[in-house]
């Protein structure tokens, strides 16, 4: 998955998730999962994720931003295709000090949960 982004993302300070799609034929032969999903269906799900991403980020301790890219199979989006950005979201604060305070508070919240 990382090769599709080229050298611009390295060194990467985050994570890349690759969600491979299966055709109905491949799904029927798969030992992992027998389900197939259309490209458009999954892009719709990713758009829904992006619509609520700002709210989701409030509840994730270590995640401060999300970006979604897709390689469209209809546009020749195979292994070597350049991904297209669907959108993204990030936590924004009024200042660097506010960002530091938010990070401290998130860590405190997690520490309190661990001691319960």
């Amino acid at each position: 998955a990382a090769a599709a982004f080229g050298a611009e993302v390295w060194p990467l300070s985050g994570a890349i998730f690759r969600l491979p799609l299966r055709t109905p034929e491949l799904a029927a032969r798969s030992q992992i999962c027998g389900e197939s999903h259309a490209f458009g269906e999954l892009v719709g799900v990713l758009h829904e994720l992006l619509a609520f991403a700002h709210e989701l980020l409030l509840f994730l301790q270590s995640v401060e931003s999300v970006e979604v890219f897709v390689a469209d199979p209809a546009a020749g989006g195979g292994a070597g295709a350049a991904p297209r950005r669907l959108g993204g979201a990030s936590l924004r604060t009024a200042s660097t000090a506010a960002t530091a305070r938010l990070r401290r508070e998130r860590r405190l919240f997690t520490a309190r949960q661990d001691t319960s």
Side-chain angles (χ1 to χ4, degrees):
F5 292 95
E8 302 86 46
V9 300
W10 303 110
L12 180 69
S13 60
I16 293 178
F17 295 92
R18 180 177 176 268
L19 304 173
L21 301 179
R22 291 181 177 85
T23 63
E25 297 81 22
L26 287 174
R29 295 190 315 238
S30 175
Q31 295 179 349
I32 298 171
C33 180
E35 295 181 39
S36 68
H37 299 281
F39 178 76
E41 178 185 352
L42 288 178
V43 168
V45 170
L46 292 171
H47 277 293
E48 286 183 45
L49 169 75
L50 288 169
F52 294 100
H54 288 95
E55 288 87 357
L56 290 172
L57 290 172
L58 292 173
F59 300 99
L60 299 172
Q61 177 191 357
S62 300
V63 180
E64 294 184 5
S65 65
V66 173
E67 289 188 276
V68 176
F69 292 83
V70 297
D72 188 344
R84 171 177 60 95
R85 187 176 188 273
L86 280 186
S90 61
L91 286 176
R92 295 186 196 146
T93 59
S95 66
T96 305
T99 301
R101 190 181 89 234
L102 175 64
R103 289 176 179 150
R104 280 193 311 275
E105 289 172 356
R106 288 169 119 190
R107 284 192 301 270
L108 286 172
F109 179 72
T110 302
R112 286 184 186 147
Q113 286 183 332
D114 291 343
T115 60
S116 306

